[in-house]
Amino acid sequence: MSNTNLALTVEGIDASLILYTESLNELRSYFNKFEQLDKSYKTLHNDFNIEEFSSFKNQLNFTGFLTISILDLLVISKNIMLSKLQWERIYQLRLAYLQIYETIDTYHKHKEIATLAKNDIQAAKLHKVISDDLKVFKLEYDYPNAFKEIRN
């Protein structure tokens, strides 16, 4: 890769890092405001409907999880491109595999998206896209067998 192409790619990653970091900061702000509202509302109202608030909290948690996973992979990608030595690239690739493995594992433990998909058309579409992509990915890359070998 030429220095010009590398610089453009690193600039693109940097721009994405800024965008996703801003998104994560916004999510944290919403989550904090939500927590304050949740506490205040519970003390003021006995007829508090916890399901609606729980659904929103789950959406924030799941979106935060996906955002953090993307940020992690962006940083790893940038580090791979900037690596000078082969061992640095190998190390970063191992980190990428581990991050992907952990993200998939955690995704399957997040029940929020399946619950949200039952009640929301957009969430249902997102759930289907992610699930379909994961199925293809697992078949194409022999997940989790190949990942266990790389991790160890």
Side-chain angles (χ1 to χ4, degrees), residues 11-146:
E11 285 177 20
I13 290 174
D14 285 342
S16 295
L17 283 168
I18 291 167
L19 175 74
Y20 281 101
T21 300
E22 288 171 356
S23 295
L24 185 60
N25 290 338
E26 230 176 281
L27 283 169
R28 284 183 179 148
S29 174
Y30 291 144
F31 190 83
N32 290 337
K33 288 175 186 171
F34 166 77
E35 287 291 307
Q36 291 170 352
L37 180 64
D38 188 27
K39 287 176 187 174
S40 299
Y41 199 80
K42 281 180 184 175
T43 37
L44 295 174
H45 301 281
N46 291 336
D47 61 341
F48 179 67
N49 183 351
I50 193 78
E51 275 189 41
E52 290 176 23
F53 274 71
S54 291
S55 176
F56 184 66
K57 186 177 180 180
N58 289 340
Q59 288 176 33
L60 289 173
N61 280 331
F62 185 73
T63 305
F65 157 71
L66 289 179
T67 304
I68 290 168
S69 297
I70 291 167
L71 280 164
D72 287 347
L73 289 170
L74 285 168
V75 169
I76 293 168
S77 297
K78 180 179 174 180
N79 288 338
I80 289 169
M81 286 181 230
L82 297 175
S83 296
K84 302 275 187 253
L85 302 172
Q86 183 67 13
W87 179 248
E88 288 176 300
R89 284 186 286 282
I90 291 169
Y91 178 76
Q92 292 300 320
L93 286 169
R94 287 182 67 217
L95 283 178
Y97 273 94
L98 180 59
Q99 180 60 40
I100 292 166
Y101 183 86
E102 293 298 328
T103 298
I104 291 171
D105 190 52
T106 303
Y107 171 79
H108 290 301
K109 292 177 184 174
H110 265 274
K111 302 298 180 203
E112 288 89 352
I113 188 139
T115 304
L116 294 170
K118 292 177 187 173
N119 303 321
D120 182 270
I121 293 170
Q122 292 299 335
K125 289 178 184 177
L126 176 62
H127 183 256
K128 180 164 177 28
V129 168
I130 292 173
S131 296
D132 290 349
D133 286 349
L134 278 176
K135 286 177 190 172
V136 170
F137 177 85
K138 287 177 178 182
L139 288 171
E140 195 171 315
Y141 293 100
D142 190 28
Y143 174 91
N145 298 326

